[in-house]
Amino acid sequence: QKEVEQNSGPLSVPEGAIASLNCTYSDRVSQSFFWYRQYSGKSPELIMSIYSNGDKEDGRFTAQLNKASQYVSLLIRDSQPSDSATYLCAVKGSTLTFGKGTMLLVSP
Amino acid sequence: NAGVMQNPRHLVRRRGQEARLRCSPMKGHSHVYWYRQLPEEGLKFMVYLQKENIIDESGMPKERFSAEFPKEGPSILRIQQVVRGDSAAYFCASSTGGADNEQFFGPGTRLTVL
């Protein structure tokens, strides 16, 4: 059974802080990793993809991948109240497997 | 609008009726994926289709559920004889099918079974 684990949260951070979201996965052969943001009642929105070990930065977002530890994370710098959402980690094996998501709350 | 389109956005059915959910992929995409999201649950993969072919249906319930992606027209997820447990949000995603496999989601169909 391929699993993707995330802390359900909520993770509460003040505006302007760094939010750190973590994800572990069980399938060692996974090659592609994604972070989606989902606002309540809306559909998932792709915000980051990462395929090789190390860091990948895009604006205020940084994805980090460590395949040896089967660990992927998302850092959000200068967090804004509009970042408040559920963040879904997804791992590509034969299909895309999603974690249940971490709820992020950014307080003004 | 070049994004993934789904309709209807909301669908109400009584137990025993049929539900048909439609998905038109993003322009330039030929790969379609269906997911189901139950309250407080994660997104669960159901089926992966290309034009006229089912590639992977490992997440589809064995009974009552079927999917197609005809040569012309949208992909359709069909649920026969719906039960209350089928109430969920059903999302469609599409991709180019390339190695990166970035999938982009439609707005979803919220199915309520009375």
Side-chain angles (χ1 to χ4, degrees):
Chain A
Q1 181 78 5
K2 299 171 186 175
E3 294 183 346
V4 178
E5 299 289 340
Q6 295 182 256
N7 188 321
S8 62
L11 172 65
S12 295
V13 301
E15 184 174 358
I18 295 175
S20 177
L21 303 159
N22 305 313
C23 171
T24 58
Y25 60 94
S26 63
D27 187 359
R28 285 194 168 274
V29 302
S30 299
Q31 293 296 320
S32 306
F33 306 85
F34 307 91
W35 283 99
Y36 286 81
R37 176 174 63 196
Q38 187 174 25
Y39 293 110
S40 180
K42 301 296 185 181
S43 62
E45 174 191 6
L46 180 64
I47 54 173
M48 288 287 286
S49 56
I50 187 166
Y51 307 100
S52 55
N53 282 329
D55 295 0
K56 179 182 177 182
E57 185 174 321
D58 183 0
R60 296 187 296 112
F61 299 101
T62 299
Q64 299 173 316
L65 175 61
N66 184 327
K67 290 185 181 180
S69 299
Q70 295 174 246
Y71 176 90
V72 59
S73 66
L74 179 70
L75 300 178
I76 306 175
R77 290 181 298 281
D78 188 24
S79 294
Q80 301 296 309
S82 59
D83 294 328
S84 297
T86 296
Y87 289 80
L88 306 175
C89 173
V91 175
K92 174 74 169 60
S94 56
T95 61
L96 198 57
T97 301
F98 284 82
K100 292 186 177 181
T102 298
M103 181 182 293
L104 173 66
L105 298 175
V106 181
S107 53
Chain B
N1 185 350
V4 180
M5 293 190 289
Q6 290 187 250
N7 69 81
R9 297 288 300 274
H10 299 273
L11 182 60
V12 179
R13 286 287 180 266
R14 296 191 180 278
R15 281 178 296 170
Q17 292 184 320
E18 179 179 288
R20 283 190 178 226
L21 289 62
R22 297 174 184 78
C23 169
S24 295
M26 189 178 288
K27 187 176 182 180
H29 288 187
S30 59
H31 296 244
V32 166
Y33 312 81
W34 286 93
Y35 295 86
R36 178 166 62 179
Q37 188 172 41
L38 292 163
E40 308 304 320
E41 294 284 330
L43 276 164
K44 300 296 184 184
F45 167 79
M46 298 181 74
V47 61
Y48 164 30
L49 309 103
Q50 287 180 263
K51 285 286 187 181
E52 299 185 279
N53 286 303
I54 296 175
I55 307 302
D56 185 337
E57 56 181 349
S58 58
M60 286 278 272
K62 299 302 181 188
E63 298 178 348
R64 303 188 296 108
F65 285 73
S66 62
E68 63 177 4
F69 190 11
K71 186 176 180 180
E72 300 292 335
S75 175
I76 295 174
L77 179 67
R78 181 183 180 202
I79 311 172
Q80 295 178 289
Q81 299 176 318
V82 296
V83 301
R84 289 208 173 119
D86 296 332
S87 296
Y90 291 83
F91 292 101
C92 167
S94 73
S95 77
T96 60
D100 61 10
N101 198 49
E102 288 186 339
Q103 297 183 19
F104 298 89
F105 281 78
T109 295
R110 272 73 178 173
L111 172 65
T112 301
V113 180
L114 301 177

